[in-house]
Amino acid sequence: MNVSHPQLHLALEFRRDPTLAEYLSGPNAEAVAAVSAMARGEGEPYLFLFGIRGTGKTHLSQAACLTTAQRGRQAHFVPLGMTGLEPSVFDDLERLDLVAVDDAQCVAGDLVWESALFDLFNRLREQGRRLIVAANAAPDILPIKLPDLASRLLWGPRYCLMPLSDRDSEQLLIESAHRRGMRLGSDLVRYIMNYHARDPASLLDLIARLDSLSLREQRQPTIPLVRRAMRETS
């Protein structure tokens, strides 16, 4: 991860390792393949991710940056939904191999921000760098005022991330727990699915908290332990 931009406290942004392997593709296999290729320095120079809350836009954007950094290249994640950011956050990012801009809807309609994003887009393209932009709606739906930016955002492939099915969500729970050395029986999976939010981000947060409790108490998860982990997320 690029360490020359301390305004983003990445230790806080990455509350768990947002790996590409942890993102269960489900109906989004094509988007995951495109993001993975970009993280390897291959594929398209620009792509746009969009979808409703909880479909994994932030996870994929962060995971692409993390994967790029792990391969010895430089990447930077810019969460436009974070308060206190200024357009200068885009300064000099064209030096990096990959930039991921999340929550683009937060600056749509602001001509100062739109101009800064347009300029970043052009600088990255001139330098042969890669860019991921994510938002809650397709680029042609966002209320972009700057015509040139609206046009640029349509240049690359666009992927609408779809929610996971219940079966995929159950698989995500089991696989994520397994990677942390935990066993989730069918009773625990059913309990979580019945009483907890089912979007991937919420499920992965729960697994992380459950892992912490399980390690602290040196025992495998039980329904009482799951209840306690759920209370911590509420």
Side-chain angles (χ1 to χ4, degrees):
M1 197 60 55
N2 177 43
V3 296
S4 63
H5 293 78
Q7 68 269 29
L8 290 187
H9 302 291
L10 292 180
L12 295 179
E13 282 303 301
F14 291 87
R15 288 171 289 180
R16 61 171 186 276
D17 290 341
T19 65
L20 290 171
E22 192 177 30
Y23 186 94
L24 188 68
S25 298
N28 303 309
E30 186 178 353
V32 175
V35 171
S36 299
M38 185 175 281
R40 296 192 303 269
E42 304 167 359
E44 299 288 342
Y46 160 69
L47 62 81
F48 193 101
L49 302 174
F50 67 100
I52 63 174
R53 180 180 176 85
T55 48
K57 302 180 295 296
T58 298
H59 184 109
L60 283 178
S61 299
Q62 291 183 337
C65 289
L66 186 63
T67 299
T68 298
Q70 289 171 340
R71 297 174 69 89
R73 297 158 64 239
Q74 290 186 303
H76 199 64
F77 174 75
V78 185
L80 293 181
M82 177 184 287
T83 58
L85 291 185
E86 299 291 339
S88 59
V89 72
F90 293 145
D91 290 354
D92 300 323
L93 294 188
E94 69 275 8
R95 298 181 296 104
L96 310 181
D97 298 287
L98 172 67
V99 176
V101 177
D102 196 22
D103 287 325
Q105 76 277 358
C106 293
V107 301
D110 185 320
L111 281 174
V112 175
W113 271 104
E114 289 185 6
S115 296
L117 181 55
F118 173 70
D119 189 43
L120 173 66
F121 193 111
N122 291 336
R123 297 194 321 266
L124 289 169
R125 197 168 188 87
E126 288 170 2
Q127 296 297 321
R129 310 302 189 181
R130 286 178 163 77
L131 172 66
I132 297 172
V133 178
N136 63 358
D140 53 339
I141 299 298
L142 293 175
I144 302 292
K145 290 183 177 179
L146 190 65
D148 287 339
L149 176 61
S151 175
R152 290 291 191 279
L153 293 179
L154 293 171
W155 274 11
R158 302 177 291 280
Y159 298 99
C160 179
L161 299 182
M162 305 299 293
L164 295 181
S165 66
D166 284 353
R167 179 169 293 182
D168 285 336
S169 295
E170 292 172 1
Q171 183 181 348
L172 176 66
L173 281 170
I174 293 169
E175 290 183 359
S176 180
H178 179 73
R179 276 191 289 269
R180 295 172 179 270
M182 295 186 295
R183 297 188 304 273
L184 288 188
S186 58
D187 56 336
L188 288 180
V189 172
R190 282 196 303 271
Y191 185 86
I192 293 170
M193 292 294 291
N194 286 335
Y195 295 103
H196 192 65
R198 299 184 182 187
D199 64 277
S202 296
L203 292 176
L204 291 173
D205 279 337
L206 177 64
I207 290 297
R209 293 179 184 276
L210 187 58
D211 182 41
S212 178
L213 285 173
S214 182
L215 287 172
R216 192 185 313 157
E217 301 190 8
Q218 293 295 297
R219 61 190 177 109
Q220 286 290 325
T222 60
I223 285 181
L225 208 64
V226 169
R227 288 198 193 103
R228 286 169 54 194
M230 285 183 179
R231 285 198 296 269
E232 289 187 13
T233 63
S234 61

